[in-house]
Amino acid sequence: PGTHSMPDPVPAPSSMRLWLPHNAPPSAPAAVCLAGQLRVLSNAWLQDNLLDAVLRPLRAALFMHVSRQSRSCGTRGMRWTRVLVDCASPAALTSRAALDAIVHRIAPASMSLLDDELLLRQHKLSVASAPGVFRRTAVGCPYSTCAPLLLRYAGCASDVERFEAERGQQFRWIVRARPDLLWHCRLPDITAARWPPARALAYTYRDWVA
């Protein structure tokens, strides 16, 4: 008998925009901005980690500006072990089913899903800044993901400001992080804890959270 391979899962769309302010807690004191590639956030245990360690203790509204990449792609590795992972292959993309599960489980107030290449073109930046092309970009970043990430930060800030204007309230705190972080501690209740009056930075494994 012949062997039958399973069909590749249907990938998430390259562009999608959701505005769901009703998902935010009433009078949320904090906003959490997740910016970057979705990567391993499709795992339910990582979504639970984000909920239990960050979103619930902060009673935060969640804003997401992300791409559907589920793994690093482009040209990776040192010169003698360099491999090419196709950024458009189904293996490198979050599936539509996984994306729907993410939206249902962590309930963002907004989500902007846009491939890095489309985002760069939208802002008339060179596609040479796309993942896997290691050269200095138009904004002076040494690596390929920097330009899209900065654009996602700006888009997330715009969503936060729109939310504040529509609700007539201002967030006391805004937390910025990557979607694929594993949080090893539960953040304190932002309304009960004595948080410092100025900006605070928390360090996680190889990453800063602002």
Side-chain angles (χ1 to χ4, degrees):
T3 59
H4 300 278
S5 60
M6 295 293 292
D8 290 326
V10 176
S14 59
S15 175
M16 188 175 74
R17 176 73 171 150
L18 299 175
W19 184 251
L20 306 167
H22 58 274
N23 281 342
S27 303
V32 171
C33 171
L34 294 187
Q37 298 174 345
L38 283 172
R39 297 193 182 181
V40 292
L41 189 60
S42 57
N43 291 295
W45 62 267
L46 199 62
Q47 298 162 26
D48 287 342
N49 174 255
L50 177 66
L51 286 167
D52 294 339
V54 182
L55 297 179
R56 287 173 181 150
L58 297 186
R59 293 191 295 110
L62 175 62
F63 301 86
M64 300 178 67
H65 277 249
V66 294
S67 75
R68 58 183 176 159
Q69 278 343 112
S70 63
R71 57 178 292 189
S72 296
C73 63
T75 304
R76 296 296 183 218
M78 303 300 291
R79 185 177 42 160
W80 52 89
T81 59
R82 190 160 291 174
V83 296
L84 177 65
V85 178
D86 183 1
C87 295
S89 69
L93 301 175
T94 301
S95 71
R96 179 58 196 251
L99 179 67
D100 291 343
I102 290 170
V103 173
H104 175 75
R105 197 178 190 95
I106 62 178
S110 79
M111 173 185 279
S112 177
L113 181 78
L114 195 62
D115 281 359
D116 287 348
E117 182 176 334
L118 296 178
L119 179 62
L120 291 166
R121 286 178 174 169
Q122 188 180 83
H123 291 269
K124 296 182 172 57
L125 290 175
S126 169
V127 180
S129 306
V133 182
F134 291 97
R135 64 183 66 176
R136 191 164 294 278
T137 69
V139 292
C141 301
Y143 296 109
S144 59
T145 55
C146 188
L149 188 59
L150 292 175
L151 293 172
R152 295 188 200 285
Y153 289 157
C156 197
S158 295
D159 276 3
V160 168
E161 290 174 349
R162 175 185 172 186
F163 182 92
E164 290 177 327
E166 290 185 3
R167 283 237 178 149
Q169 70 170 75
Q170 280 194 319
F171 295 112
R172 291 176 54 191
W173 281 88
I174 299 174
V175 178
R176 188 185 71 209
R178 285 170 36 167
D180 60 345
L181 287 184
L182 176 63
W183 300 80
H184 292 284
C185 65
R186 179 183 171 92
L187 297 184
D189 181 345
I190 209 166
T191 60
R194 296 184 61 185
W195 283 58
R199 179 182 63 181
L201 295 174
Y203 183 73
T204 62
Y205 180 65
R206 292 186 180 176
D207 281 288
W208 288 92
V209 177

PDB file of all heavy atoms in Angstrom, residues 57-90:
ATOM      1  N   PRO A  57      -3.034  39.411  36.203  1.00  0.00           N
ATOM      2  CA  PRO A  57      -2.621  40.229  37.357  1.00  0.00           C
ATOM      3  C   PRO A  57      -2.613  41.728  37.060  1.00  0.00           C
ATOM      4  O   PRO A  57      -2.873  42.538  37.958  1.00  0.00           O
ATOM      5  CB  PRO A  57      -1.217  39.712  37.692  1.00  0.00           C
ATOM      6  CG  PRO A  57      -0.766  38.966  36.499  1.00  0.00           C
ATOM      7  CD  PRO A  57      -1.995  38.422  35.857  1.00  0.00           C
ATOM      8  N   LEU A  58      -2.322  42.117  35.828  1.00  0.00           N
ATOM      9  CA  LEU A  58      -2.336  43.544  35.486  1.00  0.00           C
ATOM     10  C   LEU A  58      -3.730  44.044  35.110  1.00  0.00           C
ATOM     11  O   LEU A  58      -3.939  45.248  34.984  1.00  0.00           O
ATOM     12  CB  LEU A  58      -1.388  43.816  34.312  1.00  0.00           C
ATOM     13  CG  LEU A  58       0.098  43.548  34.509  1.00  0.00           C
ATOM     14  CD1 LEU A  58       0.883  44.020  33.296  1.00  0.00           C
ATOM     15  CD2 LEU A  58       0.614  44.226  35.762  1.00  0.00           C
ATOM     16  N   ARG A  59      -4.663  43.113  34.930  1.00  0.00           N
ATOM     17  CA  ARG A  59      -6.001  43.449  34.399  1.00  0.00           C
ATOM     18  C   ARG A  59      -5.838  44.316  33.145  1.00  0.00           C
ATOM     19  O   ARG A  59      -6.422  45.386  32.998  1.00  0.00           O
ATOM     20  CB  ARG A  59      -6.860  44.163  35.447  1.00  0.00           C
ATOM     21  CG  ARG A  59      -7.227  43.267  36.612  1.00  0.00           C
ATOM     22  CD  ARG A  59      -8.282  43.852  37.519  1.00  0.00           C
ATOM     23  NE  ARG A  59      -7.840  45.054  38.204  1.00  0.00           N
ATOM     24  CZ  ARG A  59      -8.294  46.269  37.948  1.00  0.00           C
ATOM     25  NH1 ARG A  59      -9.179  46.474  36.987  1.00  0.00           N
ATOM     26  NH2 ARG A  59      -7.835  47.309  38.636  1.00  0.00           N
ATOM     27  N   ALA A  60      -5.032  43.803  32.223  1.00  0.00           N
ATOM     28  CA  ALA A  60      -4.562  44.598  31.089  1.00  0.00           C
ATOM     29  C   ALA A  60      -5.396  44.371  29.840  1.00  0.00           C
ATOM     30  O   ALA A  60      -5.920  43.276  29.598  1.00  0.00           O
ATOM     31  CB  ALA A  60      -3.101  44.260  30.784  1.00  0.00           C
ATOM     32  N   ALA A  61      -5.497  45.416  29.036  1.00  0.00           N
ATOM     33  CA  ALA A  61      -5.995  45.309  27.670  1.00  0.00           C
ATOM     34  C   ALA A  61      -4.817  44.913  26.782  1.00  0.00           C
ATOM     35  O   ALA A  61      -3.721  45.438  26.925  1.00  0.00           O
ATOM     36  CB  ALA A  61      -6.585  46.638  27.216  1.00  0.00           C
ATOM     37  N   LEU A  62      -5.064  43.985  25.875  1.00  0.00           N
ATOM     38  CA  LEU A  62      -3.996  43.438  25.046  1.00  0.00           C
ATOM     39  C   LEU A  62      -4.093  43.979  23.622  1.00  0.00           C
ATOM     40  O   LEU A  62      -5.152  43.943  22.995  1.00  0.00           O
ATOM     41  CB  LEU A  62      -4.078  41.907  25.019  1.00  0.00           C
ATOM     42  CG  LEU A  62      -3.102  41.181  24.093  1.00  0.00           C
ATOM     43  CD1 LEU A  62      -1.661  41.448  24.509  1.00  0.00           C
ATOM     44  CD2 LEU A  62      -3.399  39.685  24.079  1.00  0.00           C
ATOM     45  N   PHE A  63      -2.957  44.469  23.114  1.00  0.00           N
ATOM     46  CA  PHE A  63      -2.863  44.967  21.745  1.00  0.00           C
ATOM     47  C   PHE A  63      -1.745  44.191  21.051  1.00  0.00           C
ATOM     48  O   PHE A  63      -0.638  44.092  21.573  1.00  0.00           O
ATOM     49  CB  PHE A  63      -2.559  46.467  21.737  1.00  0.00           C
ATOM     50  CG  PHE A  63      -3.600  47.291  22.446  1.00  0.00           C
ATOM     51  CD1 PHE A  63      -3.509  47.492  23.819  1.00  0.00           C
ATOM     52  CD2 PHE A  63      -4.672  47.831  21.754  1.00  0.00           C
ATOM     53  CE1 PHE A  63      -4.480  48.239  24.497  1.00  0.00           C
ATOM     54  CE2 PHE A  63      -5.637  48.575  22.417  1.00  0.00           C
ATOM     55  CZ  PHE A  63      -5.544  48.782  23.786  1.00  0.00           C
ATOM     56  N   MET A  64      -2.036  43.661  19.869  1.00  0.00           N
ATOM     57  CA  MET A  64      -1.086  42.809  19.165  1.00  0.00           C
ATOM     58  C   MET A  64      -0.803  43.353  17.766  1.00  0.00           C
ATOM     59  O   MET A  64      -1.726  43.562  16.980  1.00  0.00           O
ATOM     60  CB  MET A  64      -1.626  41.373  19.061  1.00  0.00           C
ATOM     61  CG  MET A  64      -1.890  40.709  20.400  1.00  0.00           C
ATOM     62  SD  MET A  64      -2.577  39.033  20.237  1.00  0.00           S
ATOM     63  CE  MET A  64      -1.186  38.161  19.509  1.00  0.00           C
ATOM     64  N   HIS A  65       0.466  43.578  17.484  1.00  0.00           N
ATOM     65  CA  HIS A  65       0.922  43.923  16.129  1.00  0.00           C
ATOM     66  C   HIS A  65       1.981  42.900  15.757  1.00  0.00           C
ATOM     67  O   HIS A  65       3.126  42.982  16.214  1.00  0.00           O
ATOM     68  CB  HIS A  65       1.461  45.359  16.087  1.00  0.00           C
ATOM     69  CG  HIS A  65       0.378  46.373  15.921  1.00  0.00           C
ATOM     70  ND1 HIS A  65       0.213  47.114  14.783  1.00  0.00           N
ATOM     71  CD2 HIS A  65      -0.642  46.716  16.746  1.00  0.00           C
ATOM     72  CE1 HIS A  65      -0.855  47.901  14.912  1.00  0.00           C
ATOM     73  NE2 HIS A  65      -1.375  47.674  16.101  1.00  0.00           N
ATOM     74  N   VAL A  66       1.578  41.932  14.954  1.00  0.00           N
ATOM     75  CA  VAL A  66       2.377  40.722  14.778  1.00  0.00           C
ATOM     76  C   VAL A  66       2.402  40.291  13.312  1.00  0.00           C
ATOM     77  O   VAL A  66       1.619  40.759  12.485  1.00  0.00           O
ATOM     78  CB  VAL A  66       1.804  39.569  15.634  1.00  0.00           C
ATOM     79  CG1 VAL A  66       1.950  39.878  17.124  1.00  0.00           C
ATOM     80  CG2 VAL A  66       0.327  39.313  15.303  1.00  0.00           C
ATOM     81  N   SER A  67       3.313  39.363  13.013  1.00  0.00           N
ATOM     82  CA  SER A  67       3.308  38.674  11.731  1.00  0.00           C
ATOM     83  C   SER A  67       3.028  37.200  11.996  1.00  0.00           C
ATOM     84  O   SER A  67       3.158  36.713  13.122  1.00  0.00           O
ATOM     85  CB  SER A  67       4.641  38.844  11.003  1.00  0.00           C
ATOM     86  OG  SER A  67       5.636  38.032  11.581  1.00  0.00           O
ATOM     87  N   ARG A  68       2.656  36.487  10.950  1.00  0.00           N
ATOM     88  CA  ARG A  68       2.248  35.087  11.105  1.00  0.00           C
ATOM     89  C   ARG A  68       3.417  34.114  11.149  1.00  0.00           C
ATOM     90  O   ARG A  68       3.206  32.899  11.197  1.00  0.00           O
ATOM     91  CB  ARG A  68       1.296  34.705   9.975  1.00  0.00           C
ATOM     92  CG  ARG A  68       1.907  34.897   8.592  1.00  0.00           C
ATOM     93  CD  ARG A  68       0.935  34.593   7.473  1.00  0.00           C
ATOM     94  NE  ARG A  68       1.550  34.896   6.183  1.00  0.00           N
ATOM     95  CZ  ARG A  68       1.145  34.381   5.029  1.00  0.00           C
ATOM     96  NH1 ARG A  68       0.113  33.555   5.004  1.00  0.00           N
ATOM     97  NH2 ARG A  68       1.750  34.708   3.905  1.00  0.00           N
ATOM     98  N   GLN A  69       4.663  34.620  11.118  1.00  0.00           N
ATOM     99  CA  GLN A  69       5.818  33.721  11.172  1.00  0.00           C
ATOM    100  C   GLN A  69       5.762  32.863  12.430  1.00  0.00           C
ATOM    101  O   GLN A  69       5.610  33.370  13.534  1.00  0.00           O
ATOM    102  CB  GLN A  69       7.103  34.503  11.226  1.00  0.00           C
ATOM    103  CG  GLN A  69       7.743  35.071   9.973  1.00  0.00           C
ATOM    104  CD  GLN A  69       7.307  34.548   8.645  1.00  0.00           C
ATOM    105  OE1 GLN A  69       6.690  35.282   7.898  1.00  0.00           O
ATOM    106  NE2 GLN A  69       7.661  33.332   8.336  1.00  0.00           N
ATOM    107  N   SER A  70       5.912  31.558  12.251  1.00  0.00           N
ATOM    108  CA  SER A  70       5.905  30.647  13.396  1.00  0.00           C
ATOM    109  C   SER A  70       7.308  30.159  13.745  1.00  0.00           C
ATOM    110  O   SER A  70       7.490  29.447  14.717  1.00  0.00           O
ATOM    111  CB  SER A  70       5.018  29.436  13.099  1.00  0.00           C
ATOM    112  OG  SER A  70       5.535  28.696  12.005  1.00  0.00           O
ATOM    113  N   ARG A  71       8.300  30.557  12.946  1.00  0.00           N
ATOM    114  CA  ARG A  71       9.686  30.188  13.232  1.00  0.00           C
ATOM    115  C   ARG A  71      10.590  31.165  12.500  1.00  0.00           C
ATOM    116  O   ARG A  71      10.147  31.888  11.615  1.00  0.00           O
ATOM    117  CB  ARG A  71       9.989  28.752  12.783  1.00  0.00           C
ATOM    118  CG  ARG A  71       9.727  28.507  11.304  1.00  0.00           C
ATOM    119  CD  ARG A  71      10.067  27.111  10.875  1.00  0.00           C
ATOM    120  NE  ARG A  71      11.503  26.873  10.924  1.00  0.00           N
ATOM    121  CZ  ARG A  71      12.087  25.777  10.438  1.00  0.00           C
ATOM    122  NH1 ARG A  71      11.360  24.825   9.902  1.00  0.00           N
ATOM    123  NH2 ARG A  71      13.388  25.627  10.502  1.00  0.00           N
ATOM    124  N   SER A  72      11.851  31.192  12.905  1.00  0.00           N
ATOM    125  CA  SER A  72      12.814  32.029  12.204  1.00  0.00           C
ATOM    126  C   SER A  72      12.947  31.544  10.760  1.00  0.00           C
ATOM    127  O   SER A  72      12.943  30.352  10.496  1.00  0.00           O
ATOM    128  CB  SER A  72      14.182  31.975  12.890  1.00  0.00           C
ATOM    129  OG  SER A  72      14.087  32.517  14.185  1.00  0.00           O
ATOM    130  N   CYS A  73      13.052  32.503   9.837  1.00  0.00           N
ATOM    131  CA  CYS A  73      13.163  32.122   8.444  1.00  0.00           C
ATOM    132  C   CYS A  73      14.183  33.013   7.749  1.00  0.00           C
ATOM    133  O   CYS A  73      14.747  33.926   8.351  1.00  0.00           O
ATOM    134  CB  CYS A  73      11.811  32.215   7.741  1.00  0.00           C
ATOM    135  SG  CYS A  73      11.132  33.890   7.686  1.00  0.00           S
ATOM    136  N   GLY A  74      14.404  32.750   6.482  1.00  0.00           N
ATOM    137  CA  GLY A  74      15.433  33.446   5.736  1.00  0.00           C
ATOM    138  C   GLY A  74      16.749  32.697   5.845  1.00  0.00           C
ATOM    139  O   GLY A  74      16.788  31.503   6.138  1.00  0.00           O
ATOM    140  N   THR A  75      17.832  33.374   5.611  1.00  0.00           N
ATOM    141  CA  THR A  75      19.154  32.760   5.694  1.00  0.00           C
ATOM    142  C   THR A  75      19.622  32.794   7.143  1.00  0.00           C
ATOM    143  O   THR A  75      19.747  33.858   7.737  1.00  0.00           O
ATOM    144  CB  THR A  75      20.158  33.513   4.800  1.00  0.00           C
ATOM    145  OG1 THR A  75      19.641  33.538   3.473  1.00  0.00           O
ATOM    146  CG2 THR A  75      21.507  32.820   4.812  1.00  0.00           C
ATOM    147  N   ARG A  76      19.836  31.630   7.705  1.00  0.00           N
ATOM    148  CA  ARG A  76      20.188  31.527   9.116  1.00  0.00           C
ATOM    149  C   ARG A  76      21.475  30.733   9.294  1.00  0.00           C
ATOM    150  O   ARG A  76      21.806  29.858   8.498  1.00  0.00           O
ATOM    151  CB  ARG A  76      19.047  30.845   9.896  1.00  0.00           C
ATOM    152  CG  ARG A  76      17.743  31.631   9.901  1.00  0.00           C
ATOM    153  CD  ARG A  76      17.900  32.934  10.619  1.00  0.00           C
ATOM    154  NE  ARG A  76      16.651  33.674  10.692  1.00  0.00           N
ATOM    155  CZ  ARG A  76      16.561  34.978  10.578  1.00  0.00           C
ATOM    156  NH1 ARG A  76      17.641  35.698  10.378  1.00  0.00           N
ATOM    157  NH2 ARG A  76      15.405  35.597  10.675  1.00  0.00           N
ATOM    158  N   GLY A  77      22.165  30.983  10.385  1.00  0.00           N
ATOM    159  CA  GLY A  77      23.350  30.208  10.727  1.00  0.00           C
ATOM    160  C   GLY A  77      24.638  30.921  10.361  1.00  0.00           C
ATOM    161  O   GLY A  77      24.651  31.953   9.709  1.00  0.00           O
ATOM    162  N   MET A  78      25.738  30.344  10.814  1.00  0.00           N
ATOM    163  CA  MET A  78      27.052  30.886  10.509  1.00  0.00           C
ATOM    164  C   MET A  78      27.408  30.585   9.056  1.00  0.00           C
ATOM    165  O   MET A  78      26.752  29.795   8.388  1.00  0.00           O
ATOM    166  CB  MET A  78      28.095  30.285  11.456  1.00  0.00           C
ATOM    167  CG  MET A  78      27.766  30.507  12.936  1.00  0.00           C
ATOM    168  SD  MET A  78      27.662  32.263  13.359  1.00  0.00           S
ATOM    169  CE  MET A  78      29.371  32.741  13.207  1.00  0.00           C
ATOM    170  N   ARG A  79      28.480  31.193   8.591  1.00  0.00           N
ATOM    171  CA  ARG A  79      28.854  31.098   7.189  1.00  0.00           C
ATOM    172  C   ARG A  79      28.995  29.650   6.734  1.00  0.00           C
ATOM    173  O   ARG A  79      28.612  29.282   5.628  1.00  0.00           O
ATOM    174  CB  ARG A  79      30.163  31.853   6.987  1.00  0.00           C
ATOM    175  CG  ARG A  79      30.622  31.940   5.563  1.00  0.00           C
ATOM    176  CD  ARG A  79      31.877  32.772   5.470  1.00  0.00           C
ATOM    177  NE  ARG A  79      32.814  32.459   6.552  1.00  0.00           N
ATOM    178  CZ  ARG A  79      34.110  32.740   6.506  1.00  0.00           C
ATOM    179  NH1 ARG A  79      34.617  33.317   5.451  1.00  0.00           N
ATOM    180  NH2 ARG A  79      34.897  32.449   7.519  1.00  0.00           N
ATOM    181  N   TRP A  80      29.547  28.781   7.588  1.00  0.00           N
ATOM    182  CA  TRP A  80      29.822  27.410   7.187  1.00  0.00           C
ATOM    183  C   TRP A  80      28.633  26.467   7.426  1.00  0.00           C
ATOM    184  O   TRP A  80      28.680  25.319   7.036  1.00  0.00           O
ATOM    185  CB  TRP A  80      31.050  26.884   7.918  1.00  0.00           C
ATOM    186  CG  TRP A  80      30.969  27.068   9.414  1.00  0.00           C
ATOM    187  CD1 TRP A  80      30.445  26.204  10.313  1.00  0.00           C
ATOM    188  CD2 TRP A  80      31.416  28.208  10.147  1.00  0.00           C
ATOM    189  NE1 TRP A  80      30.522  26.729  11.584  1.00  0.00           N
ATOM    190  CE2 TRP A  80      31.133  27.953  11.506  1.00  0.00           C
ATOM    191  CE3 TRP A  80      32.028  29.411   9.780  1.00  0.00           C
ATOM    192  CZ2 TRP A  80      31.428  28.878  12.507  1.00  0.00           C
ATOM    193  CZ3 TRP A  80      32.329  30.317  10.780  1.00  0.00           C
ATOM    194  CH2 TRP A  80      32.037  30.048  12.116  1.00  0.00           C
ATOM    195  N   THR A  81      27.580  26.933   8.102  1.00  0.00           N
ATOM    196  CA  THR A  81      26.396  26.092   8.338  1.00  0.00           C
ATOM    197  C   THR A  81      25.134  26.802   7.874  1.00  0.00           C
ATOM    198  O   THR A  81      24.051  26.494   8.347  1.00  0.00           O
ATOM    199  CB  THR A  81      26.269  25.739   9.831  1.00  0.00           C
ATOM    200  OG1 THR A  81      26.165  26.961  10.596  1.00  0.00           O
ATOM    201  CG2 THR A  81      27.456  24.938  10.305  1.00  0.00           C
ATOM    202  N   ARG A  82      25.244  27.746   6.967  1.00  0.00           N
ATOM    203  CA  ARG A  82      24.112  28.581   6.591  1.00  0.00           C
ATOM    204  C   ARG A  82      23.047  27.778   5.840  1.00  0.00           C
ATOM    205  O   ARG A  82      23.350  26.991   4.958  1.00  0.00           O
ATOM    206  CB  ARG A  82      24.595  29.749   5.737  1.00  0.00           C
ATOM    207  CG  ARG A  82      23.552  30.820   5.494  1.00  0.00           C
ATOM    208  CD  ARG A  82      24.204  32.113   5.089  1.00  0.00           C
ATOM    209  NE  ARG A  82      24.946  32.698   6.193  1.00  0.00           N
ATOM    210  CZ  ARG A  82      25.716  33.773   6.081  1.00  0.00           C
ATOM    211  NH1 ARG A  82      25.867  34.366   4.919  1.00  0.00           N
ATOM    212  NH2 ARG A  82      26.343  34.254   7.137  1.00  0.00           N
ATOM    213  N   VAL A  83      21.799  27.951   6.250  1.00  0.00           N
ATOM    214  CA  VAL A  83      20.671  27.292   5.592  1.00  0.00           C
ATOM    215  C   VAL A  83      19.620  28.340   5.259  1.00  0.00           C
ATOM    216  O   VAL A  83      19.559  29.402   5.873  1.00  0.00           O
ATOM    217  CB  VAL A  83      20.040  26.195   6.478  1.00  0.00           C
ATOM    218  CG1 VAL A  83      21.026  25.064   6.730  1.00  0.00           C
ATOM    219  CG2 VAL A  83      19.543  26.771   7.792  1.00  0.00           C
ATOM    220  N   LEU A  84      18.770  28.026   4.268  1.00  0.00           N
ATOM    221  CA  LEU A  84      17.701  28.924   3.867  1.00  0.00           C
ATOM    222  C   LEU A  84      16.367  28.308   4.220  1.00  0.00           C
ATOM    223  O   LEU A  84      16.046  27.195   3.790  1.00  0.00           O
ATOM    224  CB  LEU A  84      17.764  29.202   2.358  1.00  0.00           C
ATOM    225  CG  LEU A  84      16.639  30.082   1.806  1.00  0.00           C
ATOM    226  CD1 LEU A  84      16.728  31.486   2.398  1.00  0.00           C
ATOM    227  CD2 LEU A  84      16.696  30.146   0.285  1.00  0.00           C
ATOM    228  N   VAL A  85      15.582  29.000   5.057  1.00  0.00           N
ATOM    229  CA  VAL A  85      14.224  28.575   5.391  1.00  0.00           C
ATOM    230  C   VAL A  85      13.266  29.529   4.681  1.00  0.00           C
ATOM    231  O   VAL A  85      13.310  30.738   4.911  1.00  0.00           O
ATOM    232  CB  VAL A  85      13.982  28.616   6.920  1.00  0.00           C
ATOM    233  CG1 VAL A  85      12.556  28.216   7.234  1.00  0.00           C
ATOM    234  CG2 VAL A  85      14.962  27.708   7.634  1.00  0.00           C
ATOM    235  N   ASP A  86      12.438  28.998   3.805  1.00  0.00           N
ATOM    236  CA  ASP A  86      11.517  29.816   3.021  1.00  0.00           C
ATOM    237  C   ASP A  86      10.493  30.469   3.947  1.00  0.00           C
ATOM    238  O   ASP A  86       9.714  29.784   4.615  1.00  0.00           O
ATOM    239  CB  ASP A  86      10.814  28.943   1.980  1.00  0.00           C
ATOM    240  CG  ASP A  86       9.888  29.743   1.062  1.00  0.00           C
ATOM    241  OD1 ASP A  86       9.810  30.979   1.229  1.00  0.00           O
ATOM    242  OD2 ASP A  86       9.255  29.124   0.195  1.00  0.00           O
ATOM    243  N   CYS A  87      10.470  31.811   3.981  1.00  0.00           N
ATOM    244  CA  CYS A  87       9.566  32.534   4.872  1.00  0.00           C
ATOM    245  C   CYS A  87       8.098  32.343   4.485  1.00  0.00           C
ATOM    246  O   CYS A  87       7.204  32.587   5.299  1.00  0.00           O
ATOM    247  CB  CYS A  87       9.900  34.027   4.857  1.00  0.00           C
ATOM    248  SG  CYS A  87      11.533  34.411   5.521  1.00  0.00           S
ATOM    249  N   ALA A  88       7.842  31.962   3.239  1.00  0.00           N
ATOM    250  CA  ALA A  88       6.459  31.801   2.771  1.00  0.00           C
ATOM    251  C   ALA A  88       5.981  30.360   2.810  1.00  0.00           C
ATOM    252  O   ALA A  88       4.833  30.078   2.461  1.00  0.00           O
ATOM    253  CB  ALA A  88       6.333  32.345   1.347  1.00  0.00           C
ATOM    254  N   SER A  89       6.833  29.423   3.237  1.00  0.00           N
ATOM    255  CA  SER A  89       6.417  28.020   3.272  1.00  0.00           C
ATOM    256  C   SER A  89       5.461  27.785   4.439  1.00  0.00           C
ATOM    257  O   SER A  89       5.568  28.430   5.492  1.00  0.00           O
ATOM    258  CB  SER A  89       7.636  27.111   3.408  1.00  0.00           C
ATOM    259  OG  SER A  89       8.219  27.252   4.693  1.00  0.00           O
ATOM    260  N   PRO A  90       4.493  26.863   4.281  1.00  0.00           N
ATOM    261  CA  PRO A  90       3.561  26.583   5.383  1.00  0.00           C
ATOM    262  C   PRO A  90       4.252  26.219   6.689  1.00  0.00           C
ATOM    263  O   PRO A  90       3.757  26.525   7.771  1.00  0.00           O
ATOM    264  CB  PRO A  90       2.725  25.411   4.838  1.00  0.00           C
ATOM    265  CG  PRO A  90       2.793  25.553   3.353  1.00  0.00           C
ATOM    266  CD  PRO A  90       4.165  26.094   3.068  1.00  0.00           C
TER     267      PRO A  90
END
